[in-house]
Amino acid sequence: MNYNYDFYKIPGDFLLEKFGEKPEIGIILGSGLGHFAAQVKNAVTVPYSDIPNFLRSTAIGHAGQMIFGEVSGKKVVCMSGRFHSYEGYGMEELTIPVRVLKALGIRALILTNAAGAVNVSYKPGDIMVISDHIKLMGVSPLCGPNVDELGPRFPDMSHAYSPKLRKLALRLAESSPLTVHEGVYFFMPGPQYETPAEIRAIRALGGDAVGMSTVTEVITAAHCSLPVLALSVMTNMAAGVLDVPLTSEEVIETANSIERPFTEYVRDIIANI
Ligand code: HPA
């Protein structure tokens, strides 16, 4: 497969024709956080399976559709269903969603995810505005020929998580009932949850939360200069913090339990971007 500029433009043009206009903001919804899609007014929904050069969703708790419409008076495009490396996609394939959203002309990207709390002062149901990440494992989604039209061979990552959007999210947290922290997301490829020893290592290395998504999207967005706001929902304490096994049911349950305030919080952020 030749992942050149036109490869991403084809699905972009296809979607623009379906939507009839350009979205301003893109949103990728994490595990158990797909209900946000119901907030989209005057929705035009396109299943991933209809989109040329796109991927199919396989993960639990992910619907697999692109939804265009209005939230808080802004035109948004919402991806309900994301793609993870543990599903078996090649890293290059994982560039597709963000590059297609970029091709639609968005000016900001909001990412949400479910994550395990490594920082023991965090609690399940808390939110973490991601300030930075650590990814020590797995190759970069930018491996392979560089797409020069999108960005440089060696992109800067020092402002990958937009300082302006982080500041906005922290300010708006003051009027939300949610407890919102700011911290470092540690990427682990999964699909198995981490071992207690891995979590101790992650904590020693500076991780506040751990998860299996988001980072490939952020790297792809940084490459094409797309400002990102990433929000992690602490769905569980990470392995070994409590003496209980981790389950995907617990992850979905906690995500569901904060649905209302989290939806309000994200709506408020969109209104102010
Ligand atoms: N580890 C990795 N990914 C996760 C976790 C976790 O504890 N919780 C939700 N996603």
Side-chain angles (χ1 to χ4, degrees):
M1 189 62 73
N2 190 2
Y3 295 95
N4 57 18
Y5 187 64
D6 284 343
F7 179 92
Y8 304 100
K9 205 170 165 298
I10 291 166
D13 289 347
F14 170 87
L15 287 169
L16 281 176
E17 193 174 323
K18 292 265 180 209
F19 299 159
E21 54 190 318
K22 280 187 180 183
E24 296 170 73
I25 297 166
I27 309 161
I28 302 181
L29 302 171
S31 310
L33 301 165
H35 355 256
F36 186 82
Q39 297 299 312
V40 181
K41 301 259 174 349
N42 304 320
V44 179
T45 300
V46 182
Y48 292 162
S49 54
D50 287 359
I51 308 173
N53 292 355
F54 211 70
L55 303 168
R56 310 280 172 265
S57 209
T58 74
I60 310 169
H62 291 260
Q65 50 197 20
M66 193 78 84
I67 304 150
F68 171 83
E70 252 173 64
V71 173
S72 310
K74 300 255 161 65
K75 302 274 183 240
V76 305
V77 60
C78 195
M79 273 183 60
S80 184
R82 67 140 54 89
F83 305 96
H84 311 77
S85 52
Y86 65 70
E87 292 171 82
Y89 301 109
M91 279 284 168
E92 250 180 337
E93 286 184 289
L94 292 174
T95 61
I96 293 173
V98 170
R99 287 183 173 170
V100 171
L101 293 178
K102 172 78 178 178
L104 296 177
I106 59 168
R107 60 183 171 85
L109 177 62
I110 301 175
L111 305 172
T112 67
N113 66 48
V118 173
N119 186 321
V120 291
S121 74
Y122 295 3
K123 293 187 308 302
D126 288 359
I127 308 299
M128 186 182 85
V129 174
I130 304 182
S131 59
D132 204 346
H133 75 230
I134 301 174
K135 176 177 107 64
L136 302 180
M137 264 190 285
V139 293
S140 166
L142 304 179
C143 280
N146 186 50
V147 184
D148 296 331
E149 294 91 334
L150 292 174
R153 171 76 293 188
F154 302 107
D156 176 48
M157 289 295 292
S158 43
H159 297 112
Y161 296 85
S162 162
K164 205 169 126 201
L165 295 178
R166 281 160 50 199
K167 205 166 151 198
L168 173 70
L170 291 172
R171 176 168 67 76
L172 296 174
E174 288 166 19
S175 50
S176 163
L178 295 165
T179 301
V180 181
H181 311 275
E182 191 176 34
V184 173
Y185 181 88
F186 198 105
F187 172 79
M188 286 291 272
Q192 74 286 358
Y193 290 116
E194 300 70 33
T195 64
E198 283 168 342
I199 294 302
R200 288 194 298 275
I202 289 169
R203 190 177 297 119
L205 289 171
D208 294 298
V210 61
M212 308 174 194
S213 69
T214 304
V215 161
T216 55
E217 293 151 2
V218 172
I219 294 170
T220 309
H223 176 252
C224 64
S225 306
L226 185 57
V228 167
L229 175 69
L231 304 172
S232 289
V233 176
M234 300 302 112
T235 51
N236 54 280
M237 297 311 291
V241 175
L242 307 172
D243 192 20
V244 292
L246 304 186
T247 64
S248 60
E249 286 76 19
E250 178 189 6
V251 167
I252 305 287
E253 222 169 85
T254 311
N256 284 340
S257 73
I258 55 138
E259 176 188 345
R260 272 172 162 237
F262 188 64
T263 295
E264 261 324 293
Y265 181 49
V266 176
R267 284 179 59 91
D268 203 15
I269 291 170
I270 292 170
N272 286 279
I273 285 184

